[in-house]
Amino acid sequence: MKWHEVSISTKEENEEQFSIFLNTIAKGVSIEHSVDILKAKTEDFDEKFRLNPKDYPDSDIRILVYFDETYNIDEQLDKIKKFIEETPLAEKEEIEINTGIIDEMDWENEWKKYFHNFKVGRNFLIVPSWEYADVEIADSDKVIKIDPGMAFGTGDHATTSMCLTFLEDVINPADKVIDVGTGSGILSIGAYLLGARDIKATDIDELSLQVSKENFALNDCGEDIAVMPADLLKDETESYDVIVANILAHIIDDMIDDAYKLLNNDGRFIASGIIVEKRDDIIEHMKQAGFSITDVLEEEGWVAISALKVA
């Protein structure tokens, strides 16, 4: 399959508005920050980021959005241009849009150039499937083998790594877990490696469900993880001990009340994908719903929250 790639270069302050809008019309959205912004936000920058300088955007951010070949790309571009025209954005006149075609094989080759093994949290070791045979693994490592394909979620983004850190703190083997918006399935695999055996992974995107199934098989945990399409928690009827969601702030906000209803007493809601500016609003909504906030992590301008349903 071939994919249309739309690249939008703009100011960092426009990131949230673009992310919210583009996630309503596209299969996937990726944000690339300039080297100056990353260096200002990231400790151990040289160890965490392996791209060459030419691969960083010249603008503050470059937003990459993908449409499969079944989409009419001209219609999608018209939607983006209309959004830009109608939305108050910083330095609108400097926004630049470029398009291109990517073959899935080219996508896979790009991953192999830039995605390498790395540690997350205390014991997780994220390993690309094509590197696994050559990686030295310690006895304490909990290895997650990942082949991202066209889904997002490799663990190197702050939102995912903070979720994995929280999972290390809360998962018990008897827990019933749901991973909402599973993407590549990395958080479900993390829960499995921490001992959980009753796990459900959901996503609204069929491609993510396909990729997550492949990654579950790669990690020998497919039999313990149920994979199914779902729109957040709207039609969910089961109760859970842990609900984890790494999405976007406005989507997390829509889930809070449902998460509280579906959690067992002393259950945990782990939410990530929240920009710093939305942290207080999300925390306030969680408290209003009845949650007790047990921990908040912040990294590279992103926030993850661990909330407890008090009995």
Side-chain angles (χ1 to χ4, degrees):
M1 178 180 288
K2 295 184 182 296
W3 293 75
H4 298 282
E5 179 186 74
V6 179
S7 171
I8 304 168
S9 298
T10 185
K11 301 295 289 183
E12 185 184 21
E13 49 263 50
N14 296 331
E15 178 176 349
E16 181 188 11
Q17 288 171 292
F18 267 114
S19 295
I20 292 172
F21 165 69
L22 293 172
N23 272 287
T24 67
I25 67 168
K27 291 283 189 178
V29 178
S30 176
I31 311 293
E32 298 178 349
H33 294 82
S34 71
V35 66
D36 292 334
I37 289 176
L38 284 173
K39 282 185 174 180
K41 291 183 175 181
T42 310
E43 295 182 8
D44 303 323
F45 173 84
D46 291 329
E47 292 184 13
K48 290 184 177 180
F49 293 89
R50 307 165 190 270
L51 299 182
N52 296 320
K54 66 180 178 63
D55 296 303
Y56 291 102
D58 295 326
S59 57
D60 278 8
I61 62 172
R62 179 168 55 212
I63 305 171
L64 300 174
V65 58
Y66 299 92
F67 303 93
D68 68 43
E69 59 191 5
T70 64
Y71 279 78
N72 183 320
I73 189 59
D74 291 328
E75 290 182 1
Q76 302 308 309
L77 288 171
D78 287 342
K79 292 177 184 178
I80 293 171
K81 291 173 183 176
K82 183 179 180 182
F83 165 79
I84 293 171
E85 290 172 2
E86 297 179 350
T87 307
L89 298 166
E91 299 187 22
K92 187 182 295 189
E93 67 281 358
E94 295 187 9
I95 296 174
E96 182 179 335
I97 302 175
N98 293 292
T99 62
I101 298 290
I102 293 180
D103 190 275
E104 281 196 24
M105 185 61 68
D106 294 333
W107 179 283
E108 292 172 5
N109 290 335
E110 286 301 300
W111 276 119
K112 291 180 180 180
K113 285 167 60 179
Y114 299 126
F115 178 34
H116 303 283
N117 69 88
F118 58 95
K119 294 294 289 285
V120 175
R122 289 183 293 276
N123 293 307
F124 284 117
L125 176 64
I126 313 298
V127 181
S129 59
W130 54 88
E131 282 192 355
Y132 181 73
D134 301 319
V135 173
E136 185 175 337
I137 298 171
D139 291 340
S140 60
D141 288 336
K142 297 185 182 301
V143 179
I144 300 178
K145 290 178 279 187
I146 287 291
D147 189 348
M150 285 296 293
F152 294 91
T154 62
D156 63 338
H157 195 278
T159 59
T160 312
S161 62
M162 288 188 291
C163 279
L164 288 169
T165 298
F166 276 148
L167 288 176
E168 286 184 300
D169 293 332
V170 307
I171 291 289
N172 295 303
D175 284 342
K176 186 173 182 178
V177 181
I178 183 168
D179 173 13
V180 182
T182 192
S184 66
I186 190 170
L187 298 179
S188 292
I189 298 168
Y192 175 85
L193 292 175
L194 292 165
R197 291 295 181 269
D198 190 348
I199 305 167
K200 182 188 289 186
T202 68
D203 208 296
I204 199 169
D205 180 35
E206 288 293 334
L207 179 62
S208 291
L209 296 175
Q210 174 189 329
V211 171
S212 64
K213 287 180 182 178
E214 293 170 358
N215 283 322
F216 298 154
L218 193 62
N219 288 271
D220 300 318
C221 58
E223 293 185 1
D224 294 283
I225 302 176
V227 181
M228 58 190 61
D231 186 3
L232 304 181
L233 297 170
K234 294 175 184 176
D235 298 317
E236 190 61 52
T237 57
E238 300 179 53
S239 58
Y240 294 90
D241 301 296
V242 178
I243 297 174
V244 58
N246 177 24
I247 313 181
L248 288 170
H250 73 286
I251 302 177
I252 295 294
D253 197 45
D254 288 342
M255 291 176 56
I256 291 173
D257 294 313
D258 287 335
Y260 188 84
K261 293 174 185 175
L262 293 170
L263 279 171
N264 296 321
N265 289 336
D266 295 324
R268 300 280 186 158
F269 181 30
I270 296 172
S272 190
I274 304 161
I275 60 172
V276 170
E277 291 78 5
K278 294 293 184 181
R279 173 187 55 203
D280 292 343
D281 291 340
I282 296 296
I283 288 175
E284 182 59 31
H285 188 176
M286 286 181 169
K287 289 180 177 178
Q288 290 175 359
F291 283 110
S292 173
I293 307 303
T294 57
D295 203 355
V296 179
L297 295 177
E298 182 178 326
E299 186 178 342
E300 299 172 22
W302 295 95
V303 172
I305 301 168
S306 181
L308 174 70
K309 179 174 180 177
V310 182

